[in-house]
């Protein structure tokens, strides 16, 4: 029994070190200011970069920590102290509570994974004649002629870009892209659509309007 307890303790220590090292590495990657865009046939293709991927992996890993803890309590024995065991719940109720907690945290982790996966599918293509917003299984193409005005909403924790009108309207969540790419996206759209920032813009709401014909 003592050998099993010692082996289980070493396993927990090893897992703790591995998780800690992984999280430190993810934090380091998140801090890297690199661009993730690609140029193909003069088109600029923006996708989430390594820092965005590291961010969602970091959040997902955090959501797994309670699951690891519950599984270790369910699978690996921690003590044989009779006095301590007498103050805890009966094994049946304890296992039932652990199972319920495990299902709750598994559902939460699955939700985090699903949200992260959808976020990583973000894609934006800027061409000489239009901007293509990739939405799920379809694409929405908006020509520069259809973009008369654009706004960037910086309220709260948002970084949303709104442009176009009617059926040709689109929204882009800039948080899906690296910091340097966000600047490049706004710069390219304003340049190619012939937009200029208005004086009535505020630090939390930037407004751009067409001042000249789109760049050909």
């Amino acid at each position: 029994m003592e050998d099993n307890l010692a082996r289980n303790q070493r396993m927990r220590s090893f897992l703790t070190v591995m998780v800690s090292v992984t999280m430190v590495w993810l934090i380091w990657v998140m801090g890297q200011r690199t661009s993730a865009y690609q140029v193909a046939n003069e088109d600029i293709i923006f996708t989430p970069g390594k820092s965005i991927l590291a961010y969602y992996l970091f959040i997902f890993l955090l959501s797994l920590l309670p699951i690891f803890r519950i599984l270790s309590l369910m699978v690996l024995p921690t003590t044989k102290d009779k006095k301590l065991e007498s103050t805890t719940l009966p094994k049946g109720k304890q296992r039932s509570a652990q199972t319920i907690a495990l299902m709750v945290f598994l559902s939460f982790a699955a939700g985090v994974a699903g949200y992260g996966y959808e976020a990583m599918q973000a894609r934006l293509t800027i061409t000489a004649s239009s901007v293509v917003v990739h939405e799920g299984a379809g694409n929405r193409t908006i020509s520069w002629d259809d973009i008369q005005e654009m706004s960037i909403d910086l309220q709260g924790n948002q970084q949303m870009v709104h442009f176009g009108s009617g059926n040709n309207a689109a929204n882009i969540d800039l948080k899906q892209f690296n910091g340097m790419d966000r600047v490049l996206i706004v710069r390219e759209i304003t340049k190619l659509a012939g937009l200029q920032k208005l004086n009535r813009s505020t630090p939390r709401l930037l407004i751009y309007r067409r001042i000249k014909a789109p760049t050909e």
Side-chain angles (χ1 to χ4, degrees), residues 36-37 45-49 52 56 114-125 132-139 171-178 181 185:
Y37 71 88
I45 303 172
F46 295 92
T47 57
I52 304 300
Y56 286 112
Y115 180 83
Y117 175 80
E118 288 297 324
M120 291 304 299
Q121 304 308 305
R123 187 174 177 180
L124 181 73
T125 302
V132 183
V133 181
H134 304 264
E135 301 175 333
N139 300 328
N171 300 319
I172 303 173
D173 187 357
L174 290 180
K175 290 189 299 182
Q176 312 285 6
F177 304 96
N178 290 342
D181 287 349
I185 288 172

Side-chain angles (χ1 to χ4, degrees), residues 77-91:
T78 57
T79 182
K80 62 175 184 176
D81 190 331
K82 299 299 183 182
K83 184 178 180 180
L84 181 60
E85 289 179 354
S86 64
T87 62
T88 61
L89 291 173
K91 287 187 177 180

Side-chain angles (χ1 to χ4, degrees), residues 152-160 174 202-206:
I152 304 177
D153 188 355
L154 302 176
Q155 298 288 338
N157 200 28
Q158 299 184 36
Q159 293 187 25
M160 295 294 298
L174 290 180
T202 67
R204 293 175 177 249
L205 182 63
L206 307 180

Side-chain angles (χ1 to χ4, degrees), residues 41-173:
N41 298 324
E42 298 186 356
D43 297 340
I44 307 176
I45 303 172
F46 295 92
T47 57
K50 291 181 179 179
S51 62
I52 304 300
L53 175 60
Y55 169 76
Y56 286 112
L57 286 177
F58 181 80
I59 299 300
F60 179 65
L61 186 58
L62 284 180
S63 71
L64 291 180
L65 294 181
I67 297 175
F68 291 151
R69 177 58 179 168
I70 294 172
L71 288 175
S72 69
L73 292 174
M74 296 176 67
V75 177
L76 304 177
T78 57
T79 182
K80 62 175 184 176
D81 190 331
K82 299 299 183 182
K83 184 178 180 180
L84 181 60
E85 289 179 354
S86 64
T87 62
T88 61
L89 291 173
K91 287 187 177 180
K93 291 185 178 180
Q94 190 178 64
R95 180 54 61 93
S96 177
Q98 290 171 344
T99 301
I100 293 174
L102 180 62
M103 296 305 296
V104 170
F105 284 112
L106 280 173
S107 299
F108 177 74
V112 171
Y115 180 83
Y117 175 80
E118 288 297 324
M120 291 304 299
Q121 304 308 305
R123 187 174 177 180
L124 181 73
T125 302
I126 293 180
T127 72
S129 60
S130 63
V131 55
V132 183
V133 181
H134 304 264
E135 301 175 333
N139 300 328
R140 178 176 297 183
T141 301
I142 304 175
S143 69
W144 300 124
D145 291 328
D146 293 329
I147 302 179
Q148 300 293 327
E149 187 173 284
M150 179 181 76
S151 63
I152 304 177
D153 188 355
L154 302 176
Q155 298 288 338
N157 200 28
Q158 299 184 36
Q159 293 187 25
M160 295 294 298
V161 176
H162 313 275
F163 58 82
S165 60
N167 294 330
N168 288 326
N171 300 319
I172 303 173
D173 187 357

Side-chain angles (χ1 to χ4, degrees), residues 1-19 72 76-78:
M1 184 65 177
E2 292 292 345
D3 291 341
N4 288 336
L5 290 175
R7 184 168 59 252
N8 293 337
Q9 184 61 39
R10 288 195 297 270
M11 183 179 298
R12 289 192 185 90
S13 299
F14 173 76
L15 290 176
T16 300
V17 171
M18 291 299 297
V19 170
S72 69
L76 304 177
T78 57

